[in-house]
Amino acid sequence: MSDASTLGEQIKKRNEEIGTLEQQTQLLHEKTEQLSQEVLTQLGKASNEKLANSFGKVKENLEGEKSKWFHWLVGSVSVLIIATLLIIGWQVYEGKTIFELSFLVKIALTSPLVYFVVFINREYGRVRNLAEEYSFKEAIARSFEAYKDIIEGIFSDHQENIFQTKLEFVLSAIGGLYSSPMKNIK
């Protein structure tokens, strides 16, 4: 009887220990779930920041290229103006008027220069538009998590709608981020 009583007490102590360990295990499981969610959130923020930095680097390169094309545009327009003034001066000096057939022939000599100005203007505009597009993509990539949190906050009491709305938002945002900048420029 005393052995049975001792064993009963030991079983009771073990059951209490098991209950305590079960509670501790449950708390650890909850903490692990919270940490897992926090890790996923941090990974999302880190990947968004990496994407934004990539867009930022491309934007910086485009800004430098835009400056280069602008200098070429200013220079070529200046050369075109000077060439036109020289041709007008030559025509006035030679024929005393610019309303002659030879003036049209002389001015036609500037057509490659005109084409060069048009080409540079088009390239400058393209680079400017690309820089703006990458700036926009950089801003969207940085604010992606904030928008996701706003959507979750708005629909937090509507659990059946949150998944579909969140999925639609994420898919449209990713589609916009990974779309070709040239598609938006065209």
Side-chain angles (χ1 to χ4, degrees), residues 60-176:
E60 288 173 12
N61 291 342
L62 288 170
E63 290 294 331
E65 193 174 328
K66 181 176 85 169
S67 176
K68 179 185 79 166
W69 282 114
F70 180 75
H71 292 300
W72 273 99
L73 182 62
V74 169
S76 63
V77 168
S78 300
V79 168
L80 180 61
I81 290 171
I82 290 169
T84 304
L85 291 175
L86 287 173
I87 289 174
I88 290 172
W90 179 22
Q91 184 65 29
V92 169
Y93 176 75
E94 211 176 66
K96 306 292 187 229
T97 182
I98 60 171
F99 300 110
E100 289 183 9
L101 183 61
S102 64
F103 175 70
L104 294 176
V105 171
K106 291 174 187 172
I107 205 74
L109 294 174
T110 63
S111 62
L113 192 55
V114 170
Y115 175 76
F116 188 64
V117 169
V118 169
F119 172 77
I120 289 174
N121 184 41
R122 189 180 72 224
E123 288 301 307
Y124 171 72
R126 183 185 66 81
V127 169
R128 187 189 68 230
N129 290 339
L130 277 172
E132 290 173 5
E133 183 71 22
Y134 275 102
S135 294
F136 179 73
K137 284 179 177 282
E138 179 183 19
I140 292 297
R142 281 213 166 88
S143 61
F144 182 73
E145 284 294 321
Y147 285 123
K148 189 179 88 167
D149 292 343
I150 289 170
I151 287 180
E152 285 177 350
I154 290 172
F155 291 104
S156 63
D157 54 342
H158 303 92
Q159 287 299 328
E160 66 277 353
N161 293 337
I162 184 67
F163 180 74
Q164 185 63 29
T165 306
K166 194 167 144 182
L167 180 65
E168 288 172 6
F169 168 72
V170 168
L171 290 176
S172 67
I174 289 174

Side-chain angles (χ1 to χ4, degrees), residues 39-58:
V39 164
L40 288 175
T41 301
Q42 293 301 322
L43 281 174
K45 288 179 181 176
S47 65
N48 291 341
E49 190 62 31
K50 181 168 176 51
L51 182 62
N53 287 340
S54 296
F55 288 145
K57 286 181 182 178
V58 172

